[in-house]
Amino acid sequence: LPHHSAEPPSGIYSQIGQQVASLVQDGDCLQMGIGAIPNAVLSCLGQHQYLGVHSEMFSDGVIPLIEAGVIDNSRKIIHPGRLVTGFVLGSRSLYDFVDDNPNVLFLDIEYVNNPAVIRKNSHAVSINSAIQIDLTGQVCADSIGKEIYSGFGGQVDFVTGSQLSKGGRSIIALPSTALQGKESRIVAQLTAGSGVVTSRAQVDHIVTEFGVASLRGCSLRERAQKLIQIAHPDFREELAKAAWL
C-alpha cells in the first residue's frame, strides 16, 4: 500500500487550523480531505466533543481524536457510532487502525458523496481548500488559469450537502498567498481560464491565516470588504482599488 506520512502542522497552517477550529461546534459531523490544512484543523480540535465523520476520505489526523474520544460519531443521524468514508490514504498506522475495524464503514462513493445522504446528518460541516478565490467568493479549486492542477474531488458534493443539512455550513480554507508570498490567492478576478468549482452562492465561510470571512447573506460589496480583510496585508490596498472600495 502507498504510504503518506504527514508532517506536524506549523506556521500559517497552524494559524489556519485554529481559525477553522473556531467554526467547529461540539456535535458537528465533519468532512475533510488530506493535506496540511485538514491535518492542522484536526490537530486543533482536541477540546471538542461528540464529533462525527462522514467524508469521502480521511487520513492519520483523525486517529488521535478517536482515541481521545473527541470523535465518537454519537450525534450522527445515519450510521451513528460509525465513521463513514470511501477510502483512506496515510501511514501504516492508519491502515492498521482501519483494518477489520467495525466502527469504520467503507462505502461506495456514489453513496458517501451523495448530497441527499450528507444532509441527513445534522450539523454537517465541509472543510475544503482552494487555489484562488475572487472578491465575490467564487472558488477555483482545480486549475491555475487554463492549466488543470488537480481534480476537485467531492468538494461540490459536500458543500451542497452541508448547506442542506440542518445547522450545517461550508468552509473553504487556504493560505493567503502563493509562490512564497509573491501572489495573493484572494484576487479581484480569477485568472483567465480558471474554473469555478464552488459558486459564491454556496460558500459560508472563507478562512486564511488572517481570519474568517463569513459571506452568507452578504452583498457583493460586503463580500469584497470581508475578503480583503483576510487577504495578506501586502495585497489589501491593491485589492481595495480593484474593488472600487
Side-chain angles (χ1 to χ4, degrees):
L1 291 171
H3 289 189
H4 177 87
S5 298
E7 297 181 0
S10 60
I12 63 171
Y13 291 104
S14 292
Q15 296 171 43
I16 293 170
Q18 291 166 10
Q19 299 283 0
V20 175
S22 71
L23 299 172
V24 176
Q25 302 170 5
D26 290 347
D28 283 345
C29 183
L30 306 179
Q31 171 262 326
M32 80 298 292
I34 189 173
I37 290 177
N39 286 337
V41 173
L42 291 166
S43 72
C44 295
L45 295 177
Q47 302 305 310
H48 286 68
Q49 301 179 83
Y50 315 121
L51 297 180
V53 174
H54 180 110
S55 186
E56 180 179 24
M57 65 88 62
F58 69 89
S59 193
D60 289 71
V62 304
I63 297 178
L65 295 178
I66 292 172
E67 292 175 341
V70 173
I71 294 176
D72 63 6
N73 298 292
S74 62
R75 301 287 177 87
K76 293 174 68 176
I77 306 301
I78 56 171
H79 309 296
R82 304 287 187 89
L83 187 157
V84 172
T85 191
F87 66 99
V88 297
L89 177 63
S91 68
R92 182 71 207 185
S93 296
L94 175 68
Y95 301 143
D96 289 342
F97 172 78
V98 301
D99 181 34
D100 209 22
N101 187 337
N103 293 319
V104 180
L105 294 181
F106 284 82
L107 301 174
D108 193 311
I109 291 294
E110 248 185 82
Y111 174 85
V112 175
N113 285 31
N114 186 336
V117 173
I118 296 164
R119 71 175 297 182
K120 290 181 181 179
N121 284 313
S122 61
H123 299 277
V125 177
S126 64
I127 303 169
N128 291 284
S129 193
I131 294 172
Q132 272 189 340
I133 296 176
D134 75 9
L135 289 179
T136 72
Q138 294 187 117
V139 176
C140 174
D142 67 341
S143 66
I144 301 174
K146 297 178 182 178
E147 299 296 320
I148 297 298
Y149 180 78
S150 72
F152 51 80
Q155 181 172 138
V156 176
D157 303 324
F158 281 93
V159 165
T160 302
S162 66
Q163 288 208 311
L164 292 172
S165 162
K166 182 180 179 181
R169 52 217 177 274
S170 65
I171 300 169
I172 303 291
L174 72 166
S176 64
T177 62
L179 301 178
Q180 290 77 50
K182 295 178 182 177
E183 290 188 6
S184 177
R185 294 175 71 169
I186 294 176
V187 294
Q189 294 179 326
L190 297 179
T191 301
S194 298
V196 176
V197 170
T198 297
S199 78
R200 60 194 181 206
Q202 292 181 288
V203 178
D204 292 322
H205 306 287
I206 292 175
V207 177
T208 72
E209 68 271 27
F210 294 104
V212 178
S214 297
L215 303 185
R216 177 176 278 193
C218 291
S219 68
L220 293 180
R221 182 180 181 84
E222 290 168 337
R223 287 165 176 262
Q225 290 171 333
K226 290 187 175 187
L227 287 166
I228 289 169
Q229 289 174 1
I230 65 167
H232 193 284
D234 290 350
F235 298 96
R236 290 178 189 173
E237 183 177 353
E238 173 187 329
L239 289 168
K241 288 178 180 178
W244 299 94
L245 297 178

